[in-house]
Amino acid sequence: MMTEHDGNNDDLSGGPVRVVPIALDERSYDILIGPALLDRPATWQGLPKAAAAVIVSNETIAPLFLARVRAQLAPHYARVDAVILSDGERYKDWDSLNRIVDHLLATASDRKTVLFALGGGVVGDMTGFAAAIYMRGVPFVQVPTTLLAQVDSSVGGKTAINHPLGKNMLGAFYQPARVIADLDTLDSLPPRELAAGLAEIIKYGPIADAEFLSWIEANLDALLARDKAALAHAVQRSCEIKAWVVGQDERESGLRAILNFGHTFGHAIETGLGYGEWLHGEAVGCGMVLASDLSVRLGLMPPEFLTRMRKLIERAGLPVRAPRLGVERYLELMRVDKKSEGGEIRFVVIEGLGRAGMRGAPDALVAEVLDAYCD
Ligand code: NAD
Ligand code: GLY
C-alpha cells in the first residue's frame, strides 16, 4: 500500500488528493483521485523499480498527455518508451495487443519493465492484458483519462480484448500497481464520452447505494458541467463501491457480477452493431433501462423504479431505446455472455434499491422487454 501521500496531501499544489485503497492482500494498491495529478512528482513516487517504462496510449490521447507523463517518469526509469495504438473499440484486438508485445520483445524488455496505460478503458484493458501475459506478468499502472475508466475500467484488474463473436472474451484478472485518476484530464473529453462515463457512475446507485443514486440525481447537472468537486465525489464514491465489491470477490465467483448491471443487454448491443458503433457506456446506459424493466417484470421492483432510472439515464444524455437487432439475435448474442451458464442467460437485476442479484428469465419475458424498447 502506498504511503508517500499520507499526511502530504494538502501540501500538494492543485488541490487535495483522495486515496481509495483496494485491499487484495499482496495485490493491494491505491487509487489516487484529484486535479493536477499528472504534473505532481509525488504521484509517480514509490512505483515498482525497473530499468524501463513503456507508456501505452493512442493517437488521440498521446498528443494531449504523453510528454507530461514521460517527463515525470524520466527521473525514475533509464528508458521510457511509448507505444501508440490506433484509437477505437474496434482496435481492442489481437493486432493491437501484438503491437505492445512486439515492442517489448524488440526492445528486449525484461520482466521488471513497468507498463503505463495512458488512456480510456480500451487502452487500459489492452495494456493490462499485455502486462498479464508478457513473461507471465510485468507490473503495470493505470492512468485513466476518461470518466468511464476513472470510475470503472481502471479499477479491479479485469483486462481483455474483444473477439468478433463476443465482447471482452479473451483476457485475464491482473491488478495494477496503482491507479492515477487526474480529474483535469477530463477537461478535453468529448461530451458523448462524458455521458458514457456517467452510465457507469449511475450503475453504482441501484446495485449498491440508494443514497448515491439520489446524490447523482441531485448533482447530475454539476457533473455534466464538469464541476470538479462533483466529479471528485462521484469518482471517489464509485471507486469506493467498486473497491468494496472487488475486495470481496476479485475473480467474480459471485458478488462481482453485480457490477455488470445493464451489461448483458449492453454487450449484445455492442457486439450486434459492431464494436464502436455505440460507445460502451451508451450500451450500458440503455442496457440498464432494459434490466430495470426486467426487474419490474420479474416482480422485484415497482414500476416507479423503471421510470426513475429511465429519466436519469435520459438526462445524462444516454440512449434509452435499443437498436432493433431482432429478439432471436439478442438472445443468441446474450448466450455468449460470460455470465451465461449452460446456455441459460443470467441477468443482473435489482432486488431492492441498493441491492442487486443474478437471475435467469424466461425467453418470452426477455422478448417482452426487447419489444418494449427496440426501435
Ligand atoms: P475509450 O478508451 O475508447 O475512450 C473513449 C474515447 O475518448 C477514445 O476516442 C479516446 O481516445 C478518447 N479519450 C480518452 N481520454 C481522453 C481525454 N482525456 N480527452 C479527449 N479524448 C480522450 O473508451 P472508454 O469509455 O474509456 O472505455 C470503454 C472500454 O472499457 C470498453 O472496451 C469496455 O469494455 C471497457 N471496460 C472495462 C472494464 C473493466 O473492468 N476492465 C469496465 C468497464 C468498461
Ligand atoms: N466492470 C465490471 C467489473 O469490473 O467487474
Side-chain angles (χ1 to χ4, degrees):
M1 197 77 46
M2 202 179 69
T3 54
E4 298 80 42
H5 295 267
D6 296 352
N8 194 22
N9 295 355
D10 296 333
D11 298 338
L12 295 162
S13 60
V17 183
R18 298 162 187 238
V19 182
V20 178
I22 301 266
L24 291 170
D25 301 322
E26 73 284 358
R27 296 176 309 292
S28 297
Y29 56 96
D30 284 339
I31 307 164
L32 310 188
I33 302 160
L37 283 186
L38 291 192
D39 300 319
R40 302 181 199 208
T43 301
W44 308 97
Q45 282 160 13
L47 288 169
K49 294 194 187 318
V54 177
I55 305 168
V56 181
S57 194
N58 76 23
E59 60 205 6
T60 306
I61 301 154
L64 297 170
F65 310 118
L66 179 63
R68 289 160 60 193
V69 173
R70 199 192 269 274
Q72 291 296 332
L73 294 181
H76 300 284
Y77 303 96
R79 203 183 86 220
V80 181
D81 295 342
V83 177
I84 308 302
L85 304 172
S86 302
D87 185 4
E89 184 75 38
R90 69 180 64 85
Y91 297 106
K92 189 177 165 181
D93 60 5
W94 280 118
D95 285 348
S96 299
L97 188 75
N98 271 336
R99 284 185 58 192
I100 304 172
V101 174
D102 285 351
H103 175 89
L104 293 171
L105 287 168
T107 52
S109 298
D110 64 26
R111 65 190 337 166
K112 288 192 165 174
T113 305
V114 187
L115 304 193
F116 289 80
L118 176 64
V122 170
V123 165
D125 279 12
M126 280 195 294
T127 308
F129 192 25
I133 60 175
Y134 185 68
M135 293 196 176
R136 300 199 183 91
V138 294
F140 86 112
V141 174
Q142 290 273 16
V143 189
T145 62
T146 64
L147 184 57
L148 184 140
Q150 294 189 355
V151 299
D152 194 354
S153 64
S154 68
V155 174
K158 275 190 183 175
T159 72
I161 57 171
N162 298 328
H163 186 277
L165 296 181
K167 173 92 181 132
N168 292 335
M169 278 295 152
L170 305 158
F173 286 100
Y174 194 67
Q175 300 294 341
R178 186 175 298 168
V179 179
I180 298 166
D182 185 334
L183 299 171
D184 288 346
T185 60
L186 305 179
D187 289 347
S188 52
L189 203 60
R192 202 176 150 198
E193 300 291 349
L194 188 81
L198 289 172
E200 300 280 15
I201 292 175
I202 291 169
K203 167 186 87 178
Y204 291 111
I207 64 166
D209 186 348
E211 233 175 80
F212 187 45
L213 180 61
S214 302
W215 182 90
I216 299 165
E217 287 171 323
N219 290 277
L220 188 66
D221 292 341
L223 291 169
L224 285 165
R226 302 178 200 223
D227 174 89
K228 286 285 154 65
L231 282 171
H233 178 74
V235 175
Q236 179 177 2
R237 187 68 196 124
S238 299
C239 289
E240 283 168 353
I241 293 170
K242 185 148 188 184
W244 172 76
V245 173
V246 172
Q248 294 175 77
D249 181 20
E250 181 184 4
R251 299 176 74 89
E252 199 166 311
S253 46
L255 178 72
R256 184 168 178 163
I258 68 170
L259 296 173
N260 282 319
F261 178 52
H263 286 58
T264 308
F265 288 110
H267 284 166
I269 293 171
E270 284 186 276
T271 308
L273 286 178
Y275 301 121
E277 191 64 34
W278 278 31
L279 302 182
H280 174 73
E282 291 173 334
V284 168
C286 180
M288 285 192 291
V289 175
L290 275 64
S292 299
D293 189 15
L294 184 64
S295 307
V296 173
R297 285 178 202 266
L298 285 167
L300 302 167
M301 294 298 285
E304 300 76 55
F305 168 68
L306 170 62
T307 311
R308 189 176 172 186
M309 287 300 292
R310 198 176 50 214
K311 198 169 151 198
L312 181 60
I313 289 162
E314 200 162 24
R315 273 181 67 208
L318 294 160
V320 294
R321 307 272 315 159
R324 186 167 282 285
L325 303 174
V327 171
E328 278 314 312
R329 178 75 177 127
Y330 267 105
L331 292 172
E332 180 188 49
L333 287 163
M334 291 194 291
R335 284 199 184 92
V336 184
D337 189 86
K338 289 188 285 308
K339 293 182 294 307
S340 295
E341 287 176 11
E344 190 202 27
I345 306 166
R346 311 268 297 155
F347 293 92
V348 181
V349 290
I350 304 303
E351 298 178 336
L353 259 196
R355 194 160 48 82
M358 295 285 295
R359 304 266 172 128
D363 284 359
L365 200 69
V366 178
E368 280 180 27
V369 173
L370 291 165
D371 277 344
Y373 282 97
C374 285
D375 281 325

